[in-house]
Amino acid sequence: MPGLLARRDFRLFITGQTLSTLADNAVFVALGVWAKELTGSSSAAGLVLLSYTVPMLLLPIGGYAADRFPRGPLLVTTNLVLAALSLPLLLVTGPSGTWIIHVVAALYGLAAVVLGPAQSAVLRGMLSGEAELGAAIGLSQSMRSGSVLLAPLLGASLLGWAGGRVFTLVNIALLLAAALLFVLLPGERRAPQEEAQTASGVLAGLRHLRATRGIHRLLVSLTTLLLAVGLLQPMLYALLEHGLHRPPRFMGVLETTLAVGSLAGSVAGGFLIARLGSRRLMRAGAFLFGTGAALLTVPAPSTVLPGLVLAGAGTPAAVIGLATAAQTATPGHLMGRTQAVVNLILTVPQAISLGVGSALVAVLSFRQMVAVMIIGCLAVVALLGPRRAGGATDRHTPEHQDGTDRTTRTTP
């Protein structure tokens, strides 16, 4: 890991990614709180989160763009455009402006469709070996978790202290700084469109994953876990109101606590992936999340805060397990589209769960919602149980000995 940080290109990339992610996470936290304060509705806050995640259905198109266009300029342009599209938030002054919050949340989600695959593709192009890639994934996930840790301070806290206009201007500044750092990245050695001649089509990444041994079980397991994880955000608003009896801005404290756990899980996952392998690391993550969720049934800070730490640690550990398995088995020219498929799997279950959770929070108690989450975690632990003889392993290799996915080959 020290070797990675000694490289100027990696430092530029990881700093730019962190600033861009910080802006994205701050919006994710703040816009939900803003909608809650303007309308007094937990469902309205949950629907803001849903507005952000629905555009993720377009991830395959974003992955295709990341493999067909120069990835550095794509990162620069997307961050600059997103900064400009944040300006309408300056017009929000009351409940009548809630629709602007929804629209901007959707635009941030649309930008993430391009940013996620492009960032992964740029990172993959910098690295040469599996060990280096694993260390970089762990560090990247840790920096993302660190930005999540700061996001409530920048989002909910800044929104409460200085108002929506100041929050919006600070967020725009972060996006502009990220764009500047991406401008300084060295140019790519080979144009993505030249390499992409060996695998064409928006769904090439999906075909590659289908042809890779051992991935399917991990994808199903993480999908199930994220269906449970997606219920957490709407449930927390109900927990605040009916369990902890705190104002909406206290969500910043809960989000910060969740982020502390996420940071711990990211750091630990980066070190443990080599020892445990993808399957066991994902199983441990599901167990941690379920245990943390169980503690939320007792609405007191002494149980809720430790519970959020455990829940926060579980999710990134599971994500690192899948990300390492997928990225180490993917050639560089397919990285954008493959990562888009992975991101889609990371997003669609949560989008569905956010929508369902936003409705359920009006009819179920927070304890009943937690029970549903725990059932999902138990299903994941069972699915990733002890390996049977001849079953899936933690090694993920293409089906063909030459290391290529023949289903994605095209003739010139």
Side-chain angles (χ1 to χ4, degrees):
M1 195 170 291
L4 288 173
L5 294 176
R7 294 172 48 174
R8 179 177 180 272
D9 59 344
F10 185 79
R11 292 198 307 272
L12 287 171
F13 169 79
I14 202 70
T15 305
Q17 181 190 57
T18 299
L19 292 176
S20 181
T21 304
L22 178 59
D24 183 74
N25 286 326
V27 160
F28 189 75
V29 173
L31 295 190
V33 173
W34 202 351
K36 171 72 173 179
E37 291 188 339
L38 290 175
T39 65
S41 170
S42 296
S43 293
L47 288 174
V48 169
L49 307 183
L50 182 62
S51 298
Y52 174 91
T53 51
V54 164
M56 297 295 181
L57 294 171
L58 300 176
L59 268 166
I61 297 176
Y64 183 78
D67 283 342
R68 298 293 291 181
F69 299 103
R71 291 153 179 170
L74 191 60
L75 291 177
V76 173
T77 301
T78 305
N79 278 280
L80 290 177
V81 170
L82 192 57
L85 294 176
S86 301
L87 290 172
L89 290 175
L90 298 174
L91 302 177
V92 177
T93 57
S96 62
T98 305
W99 70 272
I100 297 178
I101 294 176
H102 284 85
V103 170
V104 172
L107 292 172
Y108 268 78
L110 193 61
V113 164
V114 176
L115 289 174
Q119 288 171 354
S120 294
V122 170
L123 180 62
R124 180 69 171 82
M126 293 179 181
L127 308 174
S128 57
E130 182 175 345
E132 192 176 42
L133 179 60
I137 291 172
L139 180 58
S140 177
Q141 188 68 32
S142 298
M143 296 298 287
R144 287 177 180 272
S145 298
S147 70
V148 173
L149 181 61
L150 294 175
L153 178 63
L154 179 62
S157 299
L158 185 59
L159 181 68
W161 293 337
R165 287 189 175 88
V166 173
F167 161 77
T168 299
L169 293 174
V170 170
N171 219 54
I172 290 173
L174 289 173
L175 293 170
L176 294 177
L180 175 61
L181 290 168
F182 289 138
V183 165
L184 299 176
L185 284 175
E188 295 164 296
R189 296 179 181 177
R190 185 181 299 179
Q193 56 266 34
E194 294 177 6
E195 295 185 358
Q197 292 177 359
T198 61
S200 63
V202 173
L203 299 180
L206 176 61
R207 294 195 294 269
H208 168 70
L209 289 177
R210 288 177 58 188
T212 304
R213 294 187 184 99
I215 295 291
H216 182 265
R217 189 180 183 186
L218 302 184
L219 293 177
V220 172
S221 300
L222 192 62
T223 298
T224 304
L225 177 61
L226 293 177
L227 284 171
V229 171
L231 296 176
L232 181 61
Q233 292 288 344
M235 185 278 296
L236 287 180
Y237 285 105
L239 176 63
L240 273 177
E241 183 176 356
H242 303 294
L244 295 173
H245 304 291
R246 300 294 180 95
R249 291 179 184 177
F250 193 74
M251 179 64 76
V253 175
L254 301 186
E255 293 283 0
T256 300
T257 306
L258 193 65
V260 169
S262 180
L263 179 59
S266 298
V267 173
F271 283 107
L272 291 175
I273 183 66
R275 176 174 298 182
L276 297 180
S278 298
R279 180 183 58 83
R280 287 190 289 175
L281 182 60
M282 291 177 65
R283 189 184 186 201
F287 178 80
L288 280 177
F289 183 85
T291 302
L295 291 175
L296 302 181
T297 59
V298 182
S302 59
T303 53
V304 168
L305 299 182
L308 289 175
V309 170
L310 291 177
T315 306
V319 170
I320 287 174
L322 176 64
T324 302
Q327 291 190 28
T328 54
T330 301
H333 65 276
L334 279 175
M335 195 64 242
R337 281 165 286 181
T338 300
Q339 189 62 36
V341 174
V342 173
N343 287 356
L344 190 63
I345 292 168
L346 294 178
T347 305
V348 170
Q350 292 196 72
I352 295 172
S353 195
L354 276 170
V356 173
S358 297
L360 288 179
V361 75
V363 296
L364 296 181
S365 70
F366 67 88
R367 289 189 178 91
Q368 290 171 323
M369 293 187 67
V370 168
V372 176
M373 293 159 59
I374 292 174
I375 291 172
C377 293
L378 291 175
V380 174
V381 171
L383 185 60
L384 295 173
R387 188 173 60 221
R388 297 182 178 90
T393 69
D394 284 329
R395 298 180 64 84
H396 311 283
T397 56
E399 293 287 351
H400 307 289
Q401 291 180 354
D402 64 359
T404 63
D405 174 5
R406 298 187 192 279
T407 63
T408 62
R409 284 197 167 180
T410 60
T411 56

